[in-house]
Amino acid sequence: MPRIHFQQQLAELKDKLLAMAALAQQAVESSVDAYLQRDKGLCQYVKQNEAAINTAQRELDEMAYELLAKEQPMAIDLRFILSVIKINGDLERIGDQSMGIVRRTKETLAAEPIELPVDFAAMGEFAGRMIRSAVQSLLEGDARLADSVREMDDEIDRMNRRAHSDLLRMIQDQPQYTQQCMNGILVSRNLERIADHASNIATDVIFWIRGADVRHQLSLAID
């Protein structure tokens, strides 16, 4: 009976994490829309969402640490709880990065609206797809899907480098738009960091399923 109760608690922990992930995804989508549409209302929504994310993070951490202390889980269950704690932190930081986009948006509202040479909608969609796939890999216990998320990170890094280069060129050619371009560079960086957190989530899913820490594999391969 205690074992059944423990498994129910693990299932509840996963449900809470999925709810947290939904909030983080909403934050990313809404912040990108706020920036593209110059929408003050969406900025406010992301701010309220951020408060909900912070509350959810505290509740989830408390539950996870309580399970660690009371149940003293072994092997795969222990790895799952440790992964949940780390994923929870990455989801909260995705919320922080979304708030960064909102801050850039508010600064942009005071400047002349111009067309920038960056497809922020595509970057936001790609980052969102990485989050969705990482969360799906957790839901389904699919390490291969988690592997694919880590591989996607290279593409958004490339998009960020190109955005940075194109916007610096625009500053040189049209210095009167420096503020708008600098905000664009920072938004691109926020989206690249969001993708990094999605990749971290995938890494933690792999740790849970395979018992393997793959965080430094890529850097070791490069060395």
Short mmCIF file of all heavy atoms in Angstrom, two decimals, residues 81-142:
data_model
loop_
_atom_site.label_atom_id
_atom_site.label_comp_id
_atom_site.label_asym_id
_atom_site.label_seq_id
_atom_site.Cartn_x
_atom_site.Cartn_y
_atom_site.Cartn_z
N ILE A 81 12.88 12.31 -9.34
CA ILE A 81 12.63 13.45 -8.45
C ILE A 81 13.73 14.51 -8.59
O ILE A 81 13.45 15.71 -8.64
CB ILE A 81 12.49 12.98 -6.99
CG1 ILE A 81 11.27 12.07 -6.84
CG2 ILE A 81 12.36 14.18 -6.04
CD1 ILE A 81 11.15 11.39 -5.48
N LEU A 82 14.98 14.05 -8.68
CA LEU A 82 16.08 15.00 -8.86
C LEU A 82 15.93 15.75 -10.19
O LEU A 82 16.18 16.96 -10.27
CB LEU A 82 17.42 14.27 -8.82
CG LEU A 82 17.82 13.69 -7.45
CD1 LEU A 82 19.09 12.86 -7.58
CD2 LEU A 82 18.01 14.80 -6.43
N SER A 83 15.51 15.02 -11.23
CA SER A 83 15.30 15.65 -12.55
C SER A 83 14.17 16.67 -12.49
O SER A 83 14.26 17.75 -13.08
CB SER A 83 14.98 14.59 -13.61
OG SER A 83 16.08 13.72 -13.79
N VAL A 84 13.09 16.34 -11.77
CA VAL A 84 11.96 17.26 -11.63
C VAL A 84 12.42 18.57 -10.99
O VAL A 84 12.04 19.66 -11.44
CB VAL A 84 10.83 16.61 -10.80
CG1 VAL A 84 9.84 17.68 -10.30
CG2 VAL A 84 10.09 15.57 -11.63
N ILE A 85 13.24 18.47 -9.95
CA ILE A 85 13.73 19.66 -9.27
C ILE A 85 14.53 20.56 -10.23
O ILE A 85 14.36 21.78 -10.29
CB ILE A 85 14.59 19.28 -8.04
CG1 ILE A 85 13.70 18.66 -6.96
CG2 ILE A 85 15.32 20.50 -7.48
CD1 ILE A 85 14.46 17.97 -5.84
N LYS A 86 15.39 19.92 -11.05
CA LYS A 86 16.20 20.68 -11.99
C LYS A 86 15.36 21.25 -13.13
O LYS A 86 15.53 22.40 -13.54
CB LYS A 86 17.33 19.80 -12.54
CG LYS A 86 18.39 19.48 -11.48
CD LYS A 86 19.25 18.30 -11.86
CE LYS A 86 20.21 18.64 -12.97
NZ LYS A 86 21.06 17.48 -13.34
N ILE A 87 14.43 20.45 -13.64
CA ILE A 87 13.54 20.92 -14.72
C ILE A 87 12.68 22.08 -14.23
O ILE A 87 12.47 23.07 -14.95
CB ILE A 87 12.66 19.76 -15.23
CG1 ILE A 87 13.52 18.74 -15.99
CG2 ILE A 87 11.53 20.28 -16.13
CD1 ILE A 87 12.80 17.43 -16.30
N ASN A 88 12.21 21.98 -13.01
CA ASN A 88 11.41 23.04 -12.39
C ASN A 88 12.18 24.37 -12.42
O ASN A 88 11.64 25.42 -12.76
CB ASN A 88 11.08 22.64 -10.95
CG ASN A 88 10.06 23.55 -10.30
OD1 ASN A 88 9.21 24.13 -10.95
ND2 ASN A 88 10.14 23.66 -8.98
N GLY A 89 13.46 24.30 -12.10
CA GLY A 89 14.30 25.50 -12.14
C GLY A 89 14.45 26.07 -13.54
O GLY A 89 14.40 27.29 -13.74
N ASP A 90 14.60 25.18 -14.53
CA ASP A 90 14.72 25.66 -15.91
C ASP A 90 13.43 26.29 -16.40
O ASP A 90 13.45 27.29 -17.13
CB ASP A 90 15.13 24.50 -16.83
CG ASP A 90 16.64 24.29 -16.85
OD1 ASP A 90 17.36 25.23 -17.21
OD2 ASP A 90 17.10 23.19 -16.48
N LEU A 91 12.29 25.72 -16.02
CA LEU A 91 11.00 26.30 -16.41
C LEU A 91 10.82 27.69 -15.81
O LEU A 91 10.32 28.60 -16.46
CB LEU A 91 9.85 25.38 -15.99
CG LEU A 91 9.74 24.06 -16.77
CD1 LEU A 91 8.72 23.13 -16.11
CD2 LEU A 91 9.35 24.31 -18.23
N GLU A 92 11.26 27.85 -14.56
CA GLU A 92 11.16 29.16 -13.91
C GLU A 92 12.05 30.17 -14.65
O GLU A 92 11.66 31.33 -14.85
CB GLU A 92 11.58 29.04 -12.44
CG GLU A 92 11.30 30.28 -11.61
CD GLU A 92 12.43 31.30 -11.64
OE1 GLU A 92 13.59 30.89 -11.87
OE2 GLU A 92 12.16 32.50 -11.47
N ARG A 93 13.22 29.73 -15.10
CA ARG A 93 14.12 30.65 -15.81
C ARG A 93 13.60 30.97 -17.21
O ARG A 93 13.89 32.05 -17.74
CB ARG A 93 15.54 30.07 -15.83
CG ARG A 93 16.23 30.25 -14.46
CD ARG A 93 17.68 29.83 -14.48
NE ARG A 93 17.86 28.40 -14.41
CZ ARG A 93 17.82 27.68 -13.29
NH1 ARG A 93 17.56 28.27 -12.13
NH2 ARG A 93 18.02 26.38 -13.31
N ILE A 94 12.84 30.05 -17.81
CA ILE A 94 12.18 30.36 -19.07
C ILE A 94 11.20 31.53 -18.85
O ILE A 94 11.10 32.45 -19.67
CB ILE A 94 11.45 29.12 -19.64
CG1 ILE A 94 12.48 28.14 -20.22
CG2 ILE A 94 10.43 29.52 -20.71
CD1 ILE A 94 11.90 26.80 -20.64
N GLY A 95 10.51 31.50 -17.72
CA GLY A 95 9.62 32.61 -17.35
C GLY A 95 10.40 33.91 -17.20
O GLY A 95 9.96 34.97 -17.65
N ASP A 96 11.58 33.83 -16.58
CA ASP A 96 12.43 35.02 -16.41
C ASP A 96 12.85 35.60 -17.76
O ASP A 96 12.84 36.82 -17.96
CB ASP A 96 13.69 34.66 -15.60
CG ASP A 96 13.40 34.42 -14.13
OD1 ASP A 96 12.30 34.79 -13.67
OD2 ASP A 96 14.27 33.85 -13.45
N GLN A 97 13.26 34.72 -18.68
CA GLN A 97 13.69 35.18 -20.00
C GLN A 97 12.52 35.80 -20.77
O GLN A 97 12.70 36.77 -21.51
CB GLN A 97 14.28 34.01 -20.81
CG GLN A 97 15.58 33.46 -20.26
CD GLN A 97 16.73 34.46 -20.32
OE1 GLN A 97 16.78 35.31 -21.20
NE2 GLN A 97 17.66 34.36 -19.38
N SER A 98 11.32 35.26 -20.57
CA SER A 98 10.13 35.84 -21.20
C SER A 98 9.87 37.24 -20.67
O SER A 98 9.49 38.15 -21.42
CB SER A 98 8.90 34.94 -20.95
OG SER A 98 9.10 33.66 -21.51
N MET A 99 10.10 37.43 -19.37
CA MET A 99 9.97 38.77 -18.78
C MET A 99 11.02 39.72 -19.36
O MET A 99 10.78 40.91 -19.51
CB MET A 99 10.10 38.70 -17.26
CG MET A 99 8.83 38.30 -16.53
SD MET A 99 7.45 39.44 -16.86
CE MET A 99 8.10 40.97 -16.16
N GLY A 100 12.19 39.18 -19.70
CA GLY A 100 13.21 39.99 -20.36
C GLY A 100 12.71 40.52 -21.69
O GLY A 100 12.95 41.68 -22.04
N ILE A 101 12.01 39.67 -22.45
CA ILE A 101 11.43 40.10 -23.73
C ILE A 101 10.39 41.20 -23.50
O ILE A 101 10.30 42.17 -24.25
CB ILE A 101 10.82 38.90 -24.48
CG1 ILE A 101 11.92 37.91 -24.87
CG2 ILE A 101 10.06 39.37 -25.73
CD1 ILE A 101 11.43 36.60 -25.46
N VAL A 102 9.60 41.05 -22.43
CA VAL A 102 8.59 42.07 -22.09
C VAL A 102 9.27 43.40 -21.77
O VAL A 102 8.80 44.48 -22.20
CB VAL A 102 7.73 41.59 -20.90
CG1 VAL A 102 6.96 42.74 -20.27
CG2 VAL A 102 6.74 40.52 -21.38
N ARG A 103 10.38 43.37 -21.05
CA ARG A 103 11.10 44.62 -20.73
C ARG A 103 11.60 45.29 -22.01
O ARG A 103 11.52 46.51 -22.15
CB ARG A 103 12.26 44.33 -19.77
CG ARG A 103 11.81 44.10 -18.33
CD ARG A 103 12.97 44.09 -17.37
NE ARG A 103 13.77 42.88 -17.50
CZ ARG A 103 13.50 41.74 -16.87
NH1 ARG A 103 12.44 41.65 -16.09
NH2 ARG A 103 14.28 40.69 -17.03
N ARG A 104 12.12 44.49 -22.95
CA ARG A 104 12.55 45.04 -24.24
C ARG A 104 11.37 45.64 -24.99
O ARG A 104 11.48 46.69 -25.63
CB ARG A 104 13.20 43.96 -25.11
CG ARG A 104 14.37 43.23 -24.51
CD ARG A 104 15.62 44.06 -24.39
NE ARG A 104 15.65 44.89 -23.19
CZ ARG A 104 15.97 44.43 -21.97
NH1 ARG A 104 16.24 43.15 -21.78
NH2 ARG A 104 16.01 45.26 -20.94
N THR A 105 10.22 44.97 -24.91
CA THR A 105 9.02 45.44 -25.60
C THR A 105 8.61 46.81 -25.07
O THR A 105 8.29 47.72 -25.84
CB THR A 105 7.86 44.44 -25.40
OG1 THR A 105 8.24 43.18 -25.94
CG2 THR A 105 6.59 44.91 -26.10
N LYS A 106 8.62 46.97 -23.75
CA LYS A 106 8.23 48.25 -23.15
C LYS A 106 9.17 49.38 -23.58
O LYS A 106 8.73 50.50 -23.82
CB LYS A 106 8.20 48.12 -21.62
CG LYS A 106 7.02 47.29 -21.12
CD LYS A 106 7.03 47.16 -19.61
CE LYS A 106 5.80 46.40 -19.11
NZ LYS A 106 5.81 46.21 -17.65
N GLU A 107 10.46 49.06 -23.72
CA GLU A 107 11.41 50.06 -24.21
C GLU A 107 11.12 50.40 -25.67
O GLU A 107 11.22 51.57 -26.08
CB GLU A 107 12.84 49.54 -24.06
CG GLU A 107 13.30 49.43 -22.61
CD GLU A 107 14.61 48.67 -22.48
OE1 GLU A 107 15.23 48.37 -23.53
OE2 GLU A 107 15.01 48.38 -21.35
N THR A 108 10.76 49.39 -26.44
CA THR A 108 10.48 49.58 -27.87
C THR A 108 9.26 50.46 -28.09
O THR A 108 9.19 51.21 -29.08
CB THR A 108 10.27 48.21 -28.56
OG1 THR A 108 11.45 47.41 -28.37
CG2 THR A 108 10.03 48.36 -30.04
N LEU A 109 8.28 50.38 -27.18
CA LEU A 109 7.05 51.15 -27.33
C LEU A 109 7.30 52.65 -27.37
O LEU A 109 6.53 53.41 -27.96
CB LEU A 109 6.08 50.82 -26.19
CG LEU A 109 5.44 49.42 -26.21
CD1 LEU A 109 4.65 49.16 -24.95
CD2 LEU A 109 4.56 49.26 -27.44
N ALA A 110 8.40 53.07 -26.74
CA ALA A 110 8.72 54.50 -26.69
C ALA A 110 9.44 54.97 -27.95
O ALA A 110 9.64 56.17 -28.15
CB ALA A 110 9.58 54.78 -25.47
N ALA A 111 9.84 54.00 -28.81
CA ALA A 111 10.59 54.34 -30.01
C ALA A 111 9.72 54.18 -31.27
O ALA A 111 8.66 53.56 -31.23
CB ALA A 111 11.83 53.45 -30.12
N GLU A 112 10.22 54.73 -32.37
CA GLU A 112 9.50 54.63 -33.65
C GLU A 112 9.43 53.16 -34.10
O GLU A 112 10.44 52.45 -34.08
CB GLU A 112 10.26 55.44 -34.70
CG GLU A 112 9.67 55.36 -36.09
CD GLU A 112 10.57 56.00 -37.14
OE1 GLU A 112 11.53 56.70 -36.76
OE2 GLU A 112 10.32 55.77 -38.34
N PRO A 113 8.24 52.68 -34.48
CA PRO A 113 8.15 51.29 -34.96
C PRO A 113 8.84 51.13 -36.31
O PRO A 113 8.59 51.91 -37.24
CB PRO A 113 6.64 51.05 -35.07
CG PRO A 113 6.03 52.40 -35.21
CD PRO A 113 6.93 53.35 -34.47
N ILE A 114 9.74 50.15 -36.40
CA ILE A 114 10.44 49.89 -37.66
C ILE A 114 10.50 48.38 -37.91
O ILE A 114 10.29 47.57 -37.00
CB ILE A 114 11.88 50.46 -37.65
CG1 ILE A 114 12.71 49.79 -36.53
CG2 ILE A 114 11.90 51.96 -37.52
CD1 ILE A 114 14.20 49.99 -36.68
N GLU A 115 10.80 48.03 -39.15
CA GLU A 115 10.94 46.62 -39.54
C GLU A 115 12.40 46.22 -39.33
O GLU A 115 13.31 46.84 -39.89
CB GLU A 115 10.55 46.45 -41.01
CG GLU A 115 10.40 45.02 -41.46
CD GLU A 115 9.07 44.40 -41.04
OE1 GLU A 115 8.08 45.14 -40.90
OE2 GLU A 115 9.05 43.18 -40.84
N LEU A 116 12.63 45.19 -38.52
CA LEU A 116 14.00 44.70 -38.30
C LEU A 116 14.26 43.47 -39.17
O LEU A 116 13.33 42.70 -39.45
CB LEU A 116 14.20 44.36 -36.82
CG LEU A 116 14.11 45.52 -35.82
CD1 LEU A 116 14.27 45.02 -34.39
CD2 LEU A 116 15.17 46.59 -36.13
N PRO A 117 15.52 43.26 -39.57
CA PRO A 117 15.84 42.15 -40.48
C PRO A 117 15.99 40.80 -39.77
O PRO A 117 16.94 40.06 -40.00
CB PRO A 117 17.18 42.60 -41.09
CG PRO A 117 17.82 43.39 -39.99
CD PRO A 117 16.70 44.10 -39.28
N VAL A 118 15.05 40.51 -38.87
CA VAL A 118 15.10 39.26 -38.09
C VAL A 118 13.69 38.67 -38.02
O VAL A 118 12.73 39.40 -37.79
CB VAL A 118 15.61 39.51 -36.64
CG1 VAL A 118 15.64 38.20 -35.85
CG2 VAL A 118 16.98 40.16 -36.65
N ASP A 119 13.60 37.35 -38.23
CA ASP A 119 12.30 36.68 -38.12
C ASP A 119 12.11 36.20 -36.68
O ASP A 119 12.35 35.04 -36.35
CB ASP A 119 12.24 35.50 -39.10
CG ASP A 119 10.82 34.95 -39.25
OD1 ASP A 119 9.97 35.28 -38.40
OD2 ASP A 119 10.58 34.19 -40.21
N PHE A 120 11.68 37.13 -35.81
CA PHE A 120 11.50 36.80 -34.40
C PHE A 120 10.38 35.78 -34.20
O PHE A 120 10.44 34.97 -33.28
CB PHE A 120 11.22 38.07 -33.58
CG PHE A 120 12.38 39.00 -33.46
CD1 PHE A 120 12.43 40.18 -34.19
CD2 PHE A 120 13.45 38.68 -32.63
CE1 PHE A 120 13.50 41.04 -34.08
CE2 PHE A 120 14.54 39.55 -32.52
CZ PHE A 120 14.57 40.73 -33.25
N ALA A 121 9.36 35.84 -35.07
CA ALA A 121 8.26 34.87 -34.97
C ALA A 121 8.79 33.45 -35.16
O ALA A 121 8.42 32.53 -34.43
CB ALA A 121 7.18 35.18 -36.00
N ALA A 122 9.67 33.27 -36.14
CA ALA A 122 10.25 31.94 -36.41
C ALA A 122 11.13 31.49 -35.24
O ALA A 122 11.10 30.32 -34.84
CB ALA A 122 11.06 31.96 -37.70
N MET A 123 11.89 32.42 -34.69
CA MET A 123 12.74 32.08 -33.54
C MET A 123 11.89 31.67 -32.34
O MET A 123 12.18 30.69 -31.65
CB MET A 123 13.64 33.27 -33.15
CG MET A 123 14.81 33.51 -34.05
SD MET A 123 15.98 34.73 -33.35
CE MET A 123 16.80 33.72 -32.09
N GLY A 124 10.81 32.43 -32.10
CA GLY A 124 9.92 32.12 -30.98
C GLY A 124 9.24 30.77 -31.17
O GLY A 124 9.13 29.98 -30.22
N GLU A 125 8.81 30.48 -32.39
CA GLU A 125 8.16 29.21 -32.69
C GLU A 125 9.14 28.05 -32.50
O GLU A 125 8.79 27.01 -31.94
CB GLU A 125 7.63 29.22 -34.13
CG GLU A 125 7.16 27.86 -34.65
CD GLU A 125 6.11 27.18 -33.78
OE1 GLU A 125 5.28 27.88 -33.18
OE2 GLU A 125 6.14 25.94 -33.69
N PHE A 126 10.38 28.25 -32.92
CA PHE A 126 11.39 27.20 -32.79
C PHE A 126 11.69 26.92 -31.31
O PHE A 126 11.76 25.76 -30.88
CB PHE A 126 12.67 27.60 -33.52
CG PHE A 126 13.61 26.46 -33.79
CD1 PHE A 126 13.46 25.68 -34.93
CD2 PHE A 126 14.63 26.15 -32.90
CE1 PHE A 126 14.31 24.61 -35.18
CE2 PHE A 126 15.49 25.10 -33.15
CZ PHE A 126 15.33 24.32 -34.29
N ALA A 127 11.86 27.99 -30.54
CA ALA A 127 12.11 27.82 -29.10
C ALA A 127 10.92 27.14 -28.43
O ALA A 127 11.08 26.25 -27.59
CB ALA A 127 12.39 29.18 -28.45
N GLY A 128 9.70 27.54 -28.83
CA GLY A 128 8.49 26.93 -28.28
C GLY A 128 8.41 25.44 -28.62
O GLY A 128 8.00 24.62 -27.79
N ARG A 129 8.82 25.10 -29.85
CA ARG A 129 8.80 23.69 -30.26
C ARG A 129 9.80 22.88 -29.43
O ARG A 129 9.54 21.73 -29.07
CB ARG A 129 9.14 23.57 -31.75
CG ARG A 129 8.72 22.22 -32.35
CD ARG A 129 9.14 22.06 -33.79
NE ARG A 129 9.20 23.30 -34.52
CZ ARG A 129 10.04 23.51 -35.56
NH1 ARG A 129 10.87 22.56 -35.93
NH2 ARG A 129 10.04 24.66 -36.19
N MET A 130 10.93 23.48 -29.12
CA MET A 130 11.92 22.79 -28.27
C MET A 130 11.35 22.52 -26.88
O MET A 130 11.53 21.44 -26.33
CB MET A 130 13.20 23.62 -28.18
CG MET A 130 14.04 23.59 -29.45
SD MET A 130 15.57 24.56 -29.29
CE MET A 130 16.50 23.56 -28.09
N ILE A 131 10.65 23.51 -26.32
CA ILE A 131 10.03 23.31 -24.99
C ILE A 131 8.99 22.21 -25.06
O ILE A 131 8.98 21.29 -24.22
CB ILE A 131 9.38 24.62 -24.48
CG1 ILE A 131 10.42 25.72 -24.28
CG2 ILE A 131 8.67 24.36 -23.14
CD1 ILE A 131 9.81 27.09 -24.02
N ARG A 132 8.11 22.27 -26.06
CA ARG A 132 7.05 21.26 -26.19
C ARG A 132 7.63 19.85 -26.34
O ARG A 132 7.16 18.90 -25.72
CB ARG A 132 6.16 21.58 -27.39
CG ARG A 132 5.22 22.76 -27.18
CD ARG A 132 4.16 22.84 -28.26
NE ARG A 132 4.72 23.06 -29.58
CZ ARG A 132 5.03 24.26 -30.08
NH1 ARG A 132 4.83 25.35 -29.35
NH2 ARG A 132 5.51 24.39 -31.30
N SER A 133 8.68 19.73 -27.15
CA SER A 133 9.30 18.41 -27.38
C SER A 133 10.00 17.91 -26.12
O SER A 133 9.94 16.72 -25.81
CB SER A 133 10.30 18.49 -28.54
OG SER A 133 9.63 18.82 -29.74
N ALA A 134 10.65 18.83 -25.40
CA ALA A 134 11.32 18.43 -24.16
C ALA A 134 10.31 17.93 -23.13
O ALA A 134 10.52 16.91 -22.46
CB ALA A 134 12.12 19.60 -23.59
N VAL A 135 9.19 18.65 -23.02
CA VAL A 135 8.14 18.25 -22.07
C VAL A 135 7.49 16.93 -22.51
O VAL A 135 7.20 16.06 -21.69
CB VAL A 135 7.08 19.37 -21.94
CG1 VAL A 135 5.89 18.90 -21.12
CG2 VAL A 135 7.71 20.60 -21.28
N GLN A 136 7.31 16.78 -23.83
CA GLN A 136 6.74 15.52 -24.35
C GLN A 136 7.67 14.36 -24.06
O GLN A 136 7.21 13.25 -23.72
CB GLN A 136 6.50 15.64 -25.86
CG GLN A 136 5.75 14.44 -26.45
CD GLN A 136 5.54 14.58 -27.95
OE1 GLN A 136 5.77 15.64 -28.53
NE2 GLN A 136 5.12 13.51 -28.59
N SER A 137 8.98 14.58 -24.15
CA SER A 137 9.93 13.50 -23.85
C SER A 137 9.83 13.09 -22.39
O SER A 137 9.99 11.92 -22.05
CB SER A 137 11.37 13.94 -24.20
OG SER A 137 11.88 14.89 -23.27
N LEU A 138 9.54 14.06 -21.52
CA LEU A 138 9.34 13.76 -20.10
C LEU A 138 8.04 12.96 -19.91
O LEU A 138 8.02 11.94 -19.22
CB LEU A 138 9.26 15.06 -19.30
CG LEU A 138 8.83 14.90 -17.83
CD1 LEU A 138 9.97 14.35 -17.00
CD2 LEU A 138 8.36 16.23 -17.26
N LEU A 139 6.99 13.43 -20.56
CA LEU A 139 5.67 12.80 -20.42
C LEU A 139 5.70 11.35 -20.88
O LEU A 139 5.12 10.47 -20.25
CB LEU A 139 4.64 13.60 -21.24
CG LEU A 139 3.18 13.20 -21.12
CD1 LEU A 139 2.69 13.35 -19.69
CD2 LEU A 139 2.33 14.05 -22.05
N GLU A 140 6.41 11.11 -21.98
CA GLU A 140 6.42 9.76 -22.57
C GLU A 140 7.64 8.94 -22.17
O GLU A 140 7.74 7.77 -22.56
CB GLU A 140 6.37 9.90 -24.10
CG GLU A 140 5.09 10.59 -24.59
CD GLU A 140 5.07 10.83 -26.09
OE1 GLU A 140 6.04 10.41 -26.76
OE2 GLU A 140 4.09 11.42 -26.58
N GLY A 141 8.54 9.53 -21.40
CA GLY A 141 9.76 8.81 -21.03
C GLY A 141 10.58 8.43 -22.26
O GLY A 141 11.10 7.33 -22.37
N ASP A 142 10.69 9.39 -23.20
CA ASP A 142 11.29 9.12 -24.50
C ASP A 142 12.67 9.79 -24.60
O ASP A 142 12.77 10.98 -24.89
CB ASP A 142 10.35 9.63 -25.60
CG ASP A 142 10.79 9.23 -27.00
OD1 ASP A 142 11.98 8.92 -27.19
OD2 ASP A 142 9.94 9.25 -27.91
#
